[in-house]
Amino acid sequence: MNAAEVIVNSLEKQGVEYVFGVPGGAIEPLNTALYKSDLKVIVAKHEAGAAFMADGYARVSGNIGVCCSTAGPGATNMVTGIASSFGDSIPVIALTGQVSTSLFGKGAIQEFSVQSFGIVSVFRQIAKYSDIIINENKAGEMISKARRLALTGRTGPVHLNLPADIMKREVADDRFERYSTTQVMGFDREGVKAAVKLLMAAKRPVILVGWGTVLSRADEDIREFAELMDIPVATSPKAKGILSESHPLSLGVLGFAGSPVALEYIIKRDVDVMLAIGTSFNEFVTSGWDKRLLPMKSLIHIDIDCNEIGKNYYVDVGIAGDAKVVVHELIHEALRMHKARRILGDNRRREVQDIRDKVEVKSGELGDMPYHPQRLIMDLAEAMPEDTLYFADNGNSMAWAIRYLPITQPYSFHVGLGFASMGFAVAAAIGGKLAAGNRPVVALVGDGSFLMNGTEVATAVNYNIPVIWVIMNNSMLGMVYHGRKLAGIPEGIESGFKPVDFVKLAEGFGARGIRITKPGEINREMMAELISAKVPTVLDVVIDPEEVPPIHSRITSLEKLYT
Ligand SMILES: Cc1ncc(C[n+]2csc(CCOP(=O)(O)OP(=O)(O)O)c2C)c(N)n1
Ligand SMILES: [Mg+2]
């Protein structure tokens, strides 16, 4: 085997099925190895799209996503996608080509910089690990290290730079890791005991779960623990739906575009003990580090990354560990303690229901025309099957979705919110669909975001990957427009633009394009037909541009961030 084949073989051993990328001279040895393998290659239109697709694939499959590019511009095009994976701790391996080692420093085309393999340092800023393979006999060891690092501890992207000559060399020792990498399973028993004790004694406790619980697939343990202890659960925007939003203990999303139920229970009334699991308490979940979020008595924080514990709020009990593993132990500990105590009642469920009755907005209050974005989200929720997977892009579209799209199945809602790059959902949905089987996949996208990576619809057409893109067409960078209005900032660099005909654009790419102009056009019948047709489809939905999105908490934090 040559070094490139060792790498491909290692990915196959990991159970990887797809590689997303764009070819070019420097990466050809890897392409040849891929061609000979059982891995399926999806050639994207732009390397950022390939990286987002790998991210989407990793999110839905739970395995590593792999993307590749040629040297120089191919590699730099991937930077935004990999930074986005870093922001959301998604295990992605980025493989970039490199000129042959004998030519380092000679000024070969696409050689990255005067420092030869400078691209390695670029990725070091945005990945868990970035290195160059300069000896063919190190290929097996390094790809295996990359896999381990991507998938364990706090998961995340890694990068390997592959000089063409090294990749073509035969490897003397082609043994490589024969096992699949597994997550670290340790937990702190004393911390678990202390946490359960505090929660048992609490009067108005709450559980706040973040993206870490999604990454560790902790949904069942969280539901079981919440039910056992009768504790209401709020999620971060990213973890939306990890506990069904129709569960009697669900408070919905806390923070950016969050639910008024979570706001009322946690912020407006006093919580005495908060159990925070797998959340970094970032700007979005805390609405700009709102101090009212802090519990009156104790904060218990579980996170796989010790750096997150105590980073933004003082912690009374900190437990380092994987969310699923630790919550599992909390359940055991609570059951042990329950033996000596009365099982808790259902008072807190009643309180949640009372708050819901009080604050939730009913759809009947919205007029018919112009098409209200909230109404669009509601039409979509009504028309799509419950097991639909949603990818929401950055901008108002995401805010409307976080606020009004009910998610009742875990792992069904994805936003690239750690890095908040526009264009994420357009392409990530394609990778997601490849791992989703028959589950329908919808990308909810603003028109501005679609214009960033929308060319990837042509990739979906090329491989017939039937994603449904729903474009919220308001002829503007709406979040900028409304953000300025809410914050009193004058319009400078324009936020509006001439309307784009996305039906024509979709048809030009070879996809189906349908214009939607009023409520009710998106209905069950129509969506059932689109799902069964199994072709990439773009719905160009003309919405009311003036409707103010639920982004007020971002405006508050903007004042903190930029003054
Ligand atoms: C790559 C990138 N550039 C700029 C921004 C800043 N930004 C955040 S939302 C937004 C507007 C999004 O417009 P659109 O996709 O049309 O969605 P809308 O808000 O109109 O629903 C901009 C420019 C960003 N998040 N990412
Ligand atoms: Mg827009």
Side-chain angles (χ1 to χ4, degrees):
M1 268 196 260
N2 66 24
E5 287 162 350
V6 166
I7 291 170
V8 169
N9 223 315
S10 174
L11 298 175
E12 283 186 309
K13 278 275 174 310
Q14 188 61 48
V16 169
E17 297 167 282
Y18 292 95
V19 174
F20 305 88
V22 179
I27 197 75
E28 281 308 296
L30 185 79
N31 283 337
T32 308
L34 285 170
Y35 184 69
K36 289 190 205 157
S37 78
D38 289 333
L39 292 178
K40 290 169 226 122
V41 178
I42 304 291
V43 178
K45 301 301 168 199
H46 188 286
E47 290 85 352
F52 285 137
M53 286 176 208
D55 181 300
Y57 175 80
R59 283 166 182 264
V60 180
S61 70
N63 201 347
I64 285 180
V66 182
C67 51
C68 65
S69 77
T70 193
T76 52
N77 274 352
M78 281 210 300
V79 166
T80 301
I82 297 304
S84 178
S85 296
F86 197 45
D88 289 331
S89 309
I90 307 295
V92 167
I93 296 185
L95 301 168
T96 58
Q98 182 57 277
V99 299
S100 292
T101 48
S102 60
L103 292 172
F104 279 7
K106 299 281 183 199
I109 190 162
Q110 296 180 337
E111 190 185 8
F112 182 71
S113 72
V114 284
Q115 276 96 9
S116 301
F117 44 90
I119 193 71
V120 172
S121 3
V122 171
F123 278 91
R124 277 193 183 144
Q125 309 304 319
I126 53 158
K128 279 183 84 177
Y129 167 62
S130 171
D131 213 339
I132 179 169
I133 302 182
I134 44 161
N135 179 324
E136 63 278 15
N137 291 315
K138 298 281 275 180
E141 183 189 319
M142 287 176 76
I143 186 70
S144 138
K145 176 176 177 179
R147 277 168 48 187
R148 284 198 307 275
L149 285 170
L151 280 172
T152 58
R154 180 177 187 153
T155 53
V158 296
H159 165 249
L160 285 176
N161 190 227
L162 317 174
D165 56 331
I166 305 290
M167 287 302 107
K168 285 195 254 183
R169 286 194 196 147
E170 285 301 305
V171 170
D173 181 357
D174 64 6
R175 280 176 301 175
F176 42 83
E177 206 176 354
R178 291 192 171 84
Y179 63 90
S180 284
T181 306
T182 49
Q183 184 58 288
V184 182
M185 305 298 260
F187 72 96
D188 162 14
R189 192 176 299 279
E190 291 312 310
V192 164
K193 280 185 183 167
V196 173
K197 224 170 158 181
L198 283 171
L199 287 164
M200 289 284 233
K203 289 203 167 53
R204 282 192 86 255
V206 73
I207 300 175
L208 174 63
V209 298
W211 183 238
T213 62
V214 176
L215 290 169
S216 91
R217 300 292 198 258
D219 67 305
E220 281 179 23
D221 292 283
I222 285 164
R223 185 181 42 73
E224 203 179 323
F225 186 64
E227 286 174 356
L228 182 70
M229 304 285 289
D230 193 42
I231 304 180
V233 178
T235 74
S236 70
K238 287 203 289 192
K240 182 176 165 71
I242 178 106
L243 177 72
S244 166
E245 292 188 306
S246 60
H247 190 285
L249 285 168
S250 169
L251 298 169
V253 171
L254 180 73
F256 176 75
S259 156
V261 182
L263 186 75
E264 176 74 25
Y265 188 94
I266 302 174
I267 306 289
K268 298 206 174 146
R269 303 183 188 183
D270 285 333
V271 159
D272 57 352
V273 181
M274 175 182 281
L275 170 65
I277 315 169
T279 172
S280 64
F281 286 111
N282 66 20
E283 179 199 334
F284 280 93
V285 67
T286 62
S287 299
W289 303 281
D290 190 337
K291 287 201 177 65
R292 293 174 301 166
L293 188 143
L294 274 177
M296 305 295 284
K297 238 173 94 190
S298 318
L299 175 60
I300 306 158
H301 193 175
I302 301 168
D303 206 283
I304 199 157
D305 183 353
C306 296
N307 185 38
E308 298 298 350
I309 301 175
K311 185 175 90 177
N312 287 328
Y313 293 102
Y314 294 115
V315 168
D316 299 281
V317 177
I319 306 173
D322 172 74
K324 186 179 163 73
V325 172
V326 179
V327 178
H328 203 73
E329 293 309 318
L330 290 176
I331 294 169
H332 282 300
E333 185 58 32
L335 288 173
R336 266 195 292 272
M337 284 185 73
H338 262 316
K339 283 199 182 126
R341 286 161 187 250
R342 177 180 64 85
I343 299 277
L344 299 159
D346 62 356
N347 290 342
R348 301 193 192 116
R349 288 169 193 239
R350 254 180 263 137
E351 187 184 349
V352 174
Q353 191 54 49
D354 288 347
I355 298 177
R356 278 187 193 167
D357 293 343
K358 201 176 106 188
V359 299
E360 274 185 340
V361 183
K362 304 281 177 294
S363 61
E365 293 165 21
L366 302 169
D368 261 3
M369 288 304 284
Y371 200 171
H372 196 300
Q374 175 184 344
R375 188 73 191 271
L376 163 61
I377 299 288
M378 286 169 157
D379 280 353
L380 204 57
E382 174 64 26
M384 292 304 291
E386 221 175 328
D387 67 345
T388 302
L389 261 160
Y390 294 92
F391 285 78
D393 219 298
N394 283 279
N396 292 342
S397 49
M398 174 180 70
W400 291 114
I402 291 173
R403 178 68 186 82
Y404 294 108
L405 187 67
I407 299 290
T408 53
Q409 292 194 9
Y411 319 118
S412 305
F413 185 74
H414 293 277
V415 283
L417 202 44
F419 199 54
S421 173
M422 288 166 71
F424 156 81
V426 184
I430 299 173
K433 178 61 192 167
L434 288 172
N438 283 330
R439 291 180 69 180
V441 173
V442 166
L444 258 170
V445 200
D447 45 2
S449 300
F450 190 84
L451 288 167
M452 288 209 176
N453 290 94
T455 43
E456 300 304 345
V457 170
T459 306
V461 168
N462 216 18
Y463 299 95
N464 198 26
I465 305 166
V467 170
I468 300 171
W469 289 267
V470 178
I471 302 179
M472 297 179 97
N473 187 345
N474 53 7
S475 302
M476 61 161 70
L477 302 169
M479 187 179 248
V480 173
Y481 173 79
H482 286 286
R484 283 175 181 163
K485 269 179 96 169
L486 291 169
I489 301 169
E491 179 93 342
I493 300 170
E494 262 177 288
S495 58
F497 47 84
K498 287 194 179 137
V500 174
D501 185 337
F502 291 101
V503 172
K504 275 196 185 145
L505 206 55
E507 287 170 355
F509 289 143
R512 219 169 141 181
I514 302 170
R515 173 147 313 109
I516 305 285
T517 53
K518 55 181 187 300
E521 282 183 340
I522 292 179
N523 53 40
R524 277 187 197 203
E525 211 183 349
M526 178 198 189
M527 288 322 233
E529 193 274 313
L530 289 187
I531 293 164
S532 63
K534 291 199 169 89
V535 292
T537 303
V538 173
L539 302 185
D540 181 0
V541 191
V542 183
I543 53 152
D544 182 359
E546 290 302 331
E547 205 49 56
V548 183
I551 59 171
H552 303 75
S553 71
R554 170 89 177 128
I555 307 306
T556 320
S557 47
L558 276 180
E559 281 160 15
K560 276 189 204 154
L561 287 169
Y562 304 130
T563 49

PDB file of all heavy atoms in Angstrom, residues 394-397 420-422 446-449 452 474 476-480, ligand 1:
ATOM      1  N   ASN A 394     -27.930  30.737   9.327  1.00  0.00           N
ATOM      2  CA  ASN A 394     -27.813  31.914  10.175  1.00  0.00           C
ATOM      3  C   ASN A 394     -28.617  33.077   9.603  1.00  0.00           C
ATOM      4  O   ASN A 394     -28.787  33.187   8.407  1.00  0.00           O
ATOM      5  CB  ASN A 394     -26.343  32.271  10.361  1.00  0.00           C
ATOM      6  CG  ASN A 394     -25.725  31.320  11.350  1.00  0.00           C
ATOM      7  OD1 ASN A 394     -25.866  31.482  12.552  1.00  0.00           O
ATOM      8  ND2 ASN A 394     -25.112  30.257  10.846  1.00  0.00           N
ATOM      9  N   GLY A 395     -29.101  33.907  10.508  1.00  0.00           N
ATOM     10  CA  GLY A 395     -29.967  35.001  10.090  1.00  0.00           C
ATOM     11  C   GLY A 395     -31.312  34.854  10.767  1.00  0.00           C
ATOM     12  O   GLY A 395     -31.491  34.020  11.655  1.00  0.00           O
ATOM     13  N   ASN A 396     -32.260  35.663  10.328  1.00  0.00           N
ATOM     14  CA  ASN A 396     -33.585  35.621  10.951  1.00  0.00           C
ATOM     15  C   ASN A 396     -34.248  34.265  10.796  1.00  0.00           C
ATOM     16  O   ASN A 396     -35.042  33.853  11.645  1.00  0.00           O
ATOM     17  CB  ASN A 396     -34.491  36.686  10.333  1.00  0.00           C
ATOM     18  CG  ASN A 396     -34.017  38.079  10.688  1.00  0.00           C
ATOM     19  OD1 ASN A 396     -33.250  38.244  11.632  1.00  0.00           O
ATOM     20  ND2 ASN A 396     -34.461  39.057   9.937  1.00  0.00           N
ATOM     21  N   SER A 397     -33.937  33.576   9.685  1.00  0.00           N
ATOM     22  CA  SER A 397     -34.579  32.272   9.446  1.00  0.00           C
ATOM     23  C   SER A 397     -34.345  31.358  10.651  1.00  0.00           C
ATOM     24  O   SER A 397     -35.248  30.662  11.109  1.00  0.00           O
ATOM     25  CB  SER A 397     -34.039  31.647   8.163  1.00  0.00           C
ATOM     26  OG  SER A 397     -32.633  31.688   8.150  1.00  0.00           O
ATOM     27  N   ALA A 420     -21.453  30.493  13.637  1.00  0.00           N
ATOM     28  CA  ALA A 420     -22.512  31.318  13.033  1.00  0.00           C
ATOM     29  C   ALA A 420     -22.189  31.781  11.624  1.00  0.00           C
ATOM     30  O   ALA A 420     -22.317  32.956  11.292  1.00  0.00           O
ATOM     31  CB  ALA A 420     -22.851  32.498  13.944  1.00  0.00           C
ATOM     32  N   SER A 421     -21.777  30.854  10.795  1.00  0.00           N
ATOM     33  CA  SER A 421     -21.484  31.225   9.409  1.00  0.00           C
ATOM     34  C   SER A 421     -22.724  31.094   8.534  1.00  0.00           C
ATOM     35  O   SER A 421     -23.409  30.073   8.548  1.00  0.00           O
ATOM     36  CB  SER A 421     -20.389  30.313   8.843  1.00  0.00           C
ATOM     37  OG  SER A 421     -20.233  30.574   7.469  1.00  0.00           O
ATOM     38  N   MET A 422     -22.993  32.143   7.774  1.00  0.00           N
ATOM     39  CA  MET A 422     -24.053  32.041   6.761  1.00  0.00           C
ATOM     40  C   MET A 422     -23.645  30.973   5.745  1.00  0.00           C
ATOM     41  O   MET A 422     -22.464  30.793   5.468  1.00  0.00           O
ATOM     42  CB  MET A 422     -24.221  33.377   6.031  1.00  0.00           C
ATOM     43  CG  MET A 422     -24.856  34.465   6.858  1.00  0.00           C
ATOM     44  SD  MET A 422     -24.640  36.084   6.089  1.00  0.00           S
ATOM     45  CE  MET A 422     -25.727  35.963   4.673  1.00  0.00           C
ATOM     46  N   GLY A 446     -32.119  31.760   4.740  1.00  0.00           N
ATOM     47  CA  GLY A 446     -32.408  33.111   4.268  1.00  0.00           C
ATOM     48  C   GLY A 446     -31.882  33.262   2.843  1.00  0.00           C
ATOM     49  O   GLY A 446     -30.997  32.517   2.417  1.00  0.00           O
ATOM     50  N   ASP A 447     -32.427  34.255   2.113  1.00  0.00           N
ATOM     51  CA  ASP A 447     -31.969  34.429   0.727  1.00  0.00           C
ATOM     52  C   ASP A 447     -30.489  34.816   0.663  1.00  0.00           C
ATOM     53  O   ASP A 447     -29.743  34.337  -0.186  1.00  0.00           O
ATOM     54  CB  ASP A 447     -32.849  35.432  -0.047  1.00  0.00           C
ATOM     55  CG  ASP A 447     -33.162  36.706   0.725  1.00  0.00           C
ATOM     56  OD1 ASP A 447     -32.676  36.864   1.868  1.00  0.00           O
ATOM     57  OD2 ASP A 447     -33.905  37.550   0.178  1.00  0.00           O
ATOM     58  N   GLY A 448     -30.040  35.652   1.629  1.00  0.00           N
ATOM     59  CA  GLY A 448     -28.632  36.046   1.637  1.00  0.00           C
ATOM     60  C   GLY A 448     -27.727  34.838   1.868  1.00  0.00           C
ATOM     61  O   GLY A 448     -26.694  34.673   1.198  1.00  0.00           O
ATOM     62  N   SER A 449     -28.100  33.980   2.790  1.00  0.00           N
ATOM     63  CA  SER A 449     -27.290  32.794   3.091  1.00  0.00           C
ATOM     64  C   SER A 449     -27.304  31.826   1.915  1.00  0.00           C
ATOM     65  O   SER A 449     -26.277  31.212   1.589  1.00  0.00           O
ATOM     66  CB  SER A 449     -27.822  32.091   4.337  1.00  0.00           C
ATOM     67  OG  SER A 449     -27.777  32.967   5.430  1.00  0.00           O
ATOM     68  N   MET A 452     -24.793  32.522  -0.638  1.00  0.00           N
ATOM     69  CA  MET A 452     -23.392  32.202  -0.313  1.00  0.00           C
ATOM     70  C   MET A 452     -23.004  30.792  -0.763  1.00  0.00           C
ATOM     71  O   MET A 452     -21.950  30.604  -1.331  1.00  0.00           O
ATOM     72  CB  MET A 452     -23.142  32.353   1.183  1.00  0.00           C
ATOM     73  CG  MET A 452     -23.122  33.794   1.626  1.00  0.00           C
ATOM     74  SD  MET A 452     -22.080  34.054   3.061  1.00  0.00           S
ATOM     75  CE  MET A 452     -22.177  35.844   3.234  1.00  0.00           C
ATOM     76  N   ASN A 474     -36.696  37.576   1.529  1.00  0.00           N
ATOM     77  CA  ASN A 474     -37.130  38.929   1.924  1.00  0.00           C
ATOM     78  C   ASN A 474     -36.288  40.001   1.244  1.00  0.00           C
ATOM     79  O   ASN A 474     -36.344  41.172   1.617  1.00  0.00           O
ATOM     80  CB  ASN A 474     -37.092  39.082   3.456  1.00  0.00           C
ATOM     81  CG  ASN A 474     -35.736  38.696   4.034  1.00  0.00           C
ATOM     82  OD1 ASN A 474     -34.779  38.443   3.288  1.00  0.00           O
ATOM     83  ND2 ASN A 474     -35.645  38.627   5.348  1.00  0.00           N
ATOM     84  N   MET A 476     -33.278  40.778   1.445  1.00  0.00           N
ATOM     85  CA  MET A 476     -32.407  41.539   2.350  1.00  0.00           C
ATOM     86  C   MET A 476     -31.634  40.615   3.291  1.00  0.00           C
ATOM     87  O   MET A 476     -31.983  39.445   3.463  1.00  0.00           O
ATOM     88  CB  MET A 476     -33.234  42.502   3.203  1.00  0.00           C
ATOM     89  CG  MET A 476     -34.262  41.812   4.078  1.00  0.00           C
ATOM     90  SD  MET A 476     -34.833  42.839   5.452  1.00  0.00           S
ATOM     91  CE  MET A 476     -35.776  44.078   4.610  1.00  0.00           C
ATOM     92  N   LEU A 477     -30.581  41.179   3.843  1.00  0.00           N
ATOM     93  CA  LEU A 477     -29.894  40.537   4.967  1.00  0.00           C
ATOM     94  C   LEU A 477     -30.703  40.967   6.191  1.00  0.00           C
ATOM     95  O   LEU A 477     -30.400  41.953   6.860  1.00  0.00           O
ATOM     96  CB  LEU A 477     -28.447  41.026   5.048  1.00  0.00           C
ATOM     97  CG  LEU A 477     -27.622  40.781   3.768  1.00  0.00           C
ATOM     98  CD1 LEU A 477     -26.287  41.521   3.816  1.00  0.00           C
ATOM     99  CD2 LEU A 477     -27.384  39.285   3.550  1.00  0.00           C
ATOM    100  N   GLY A 478     -31.771  40.231   6.406  1.00  0.00           N
ATOM    101  CA  GLY A 478     -32.796  40.680   7.341  1.00  0.00           C
ATOM    102  C   GLY A 478     -32.302  40.877   8.758  1.00  0.00           C
ATOM    103  O   GLY A 478     -32.718  41.809   9.448  1.00  0.00           O
ATOM    104  N   MET A 479     -31.415  39.989   9.212  1.00  0.00           N
ATOM    105  CA  MET A 479     -30.959  40.120  10.594  1.00  0.00           C
ATOM    106  C   MET A 479     -30.181  41.424  10.763  1.00  0.00           C
ATOM    107  O   MET A 479     -30.265  42.079  11.809  1.00  0.00           O
ATOM    108  CB  MET A 479     -30.098  38.927  10.983  1.00  0.00           C
ATOM    109  CG  MET A 479     -29.744  38.926  12.451  1.00  0.00           C
ATOM    110  SD  MET A 479     -28.764  37.507  12.871  1.00  0.00           S
ATOM    111  CE  MET A 479     -29.900  36.629  13.884  1.00  0.00           C
ATOM    112  N   VAL A 480     -29.455  41.805   9.726  1.00  0.00           N
ATOM    113  CA  VAL A 480     -28.711  43.065   9.775  1.00  0.00           C
ATOM    114  C   VAL A 480     -29.702  44.231   9.776  1.00  0.00           C
ATOM    115  O   VAL A 480     -29.613  45.154  10.597  1.00  0.00           O
ATOM    116  CB  VAL A 480     -27.748  43.161   8.567  1.00  0.00           C
ATOM    117  CG1 VAL A 480     -27.091  44.531   8.512  1.00  0.00           C
ATOM    118  CG2 VAL A 480     -26.702  42.057   8.636  1.00  0.00           C
TER     119      VAL A 480
HETATM  120  C1  LIG B   1     -20.282  34.364   6.517  1.00  0.00           C
HETATM  121  C2  LIG B   1     -21.060  35.383   7.288  1.00  0.00           C
HETATM  122  N1  LIG B   1     -21.051  36.676   6.873  1.00  0.00           N
HETATM  123  C3  LIG B   1     -21.777  37.603   7.548  1.00  0.00           C
HETATM  124  C4  LIG B   1     -22.501  37.268   8.654  1.00  0.00           C
HETATM  125  C5  LIG B   1     -23.308  38.343   9.432  1.00  0.00           C
HETATM  126  N2  LIG B   1     -24.738  38.069   9.259  1.00  0.00           N
HETATM  127  C6  LIG B   1     -25.457  37.365  10.176  1.00  0.00           C
HETATM  128  S1  LIG B   1     -27.034  37.128   9.721  1.00  0.00           S
HETATM  129  C7  LIG B   1     -26.814  38.015   8.302  1.00  0.00           C
HETATM  130  C8  LIG B   1     -27.965  38.218   7.353  1.00  0.00           C
HETATM  131  C9  LIG B   1     -28.538  36.946   6.838  1.00  0.00           C
HETATM  132  O1  LIG B   1     -29.381  37.221   5.754  1.00  0.00           O
HETATM  133  P1  LIG B   1     -30.336  36.123   5.146  1.00  0.00           P
HETATM  134  O2  LIG B   1     -29.597  34.868   4.940  1.00  0.00           O
HETATM  135  O3  LIG B   1     -31.020  36.689   3.959  1.00  0.00           O
HETATM  136  O4  LIG B   1     -31.367  35.836   6.313  1.00  0.00           O
HETATM  137  P2  LIG B   1     -32.488  36.816   6.918  1.00  0.00           P
HETATM  138  O5  LIG B   1     -31.882  37.428   8.139  1.00  0.00           O
HETATM  139  O6  LIG B   1     -32.829  37.826   5.890  1.00  0.00           O
HETATM  140  O7  LIG B   1     -33.601  35.898   7.244  1.00  0.00           O
HETATM  141  C10 LIG B   1     -25.505  38.478   8.200  1.00  0.00           C
HETATM  142  C11 LIG B   1     -24.994  39.297   7.078  1.00  0.00           C
HETATM  143  C12 LIG B   1     -22.456  35.904   9.058  1.00  0.00           C
HETATM  144  N3  LIG B   1     -23.100  35.448  10.132  1.00  0.00           N
HETATM  145  N4  LIG B   1     -21.752  34.993   8.337  1.00  0.00           N
END
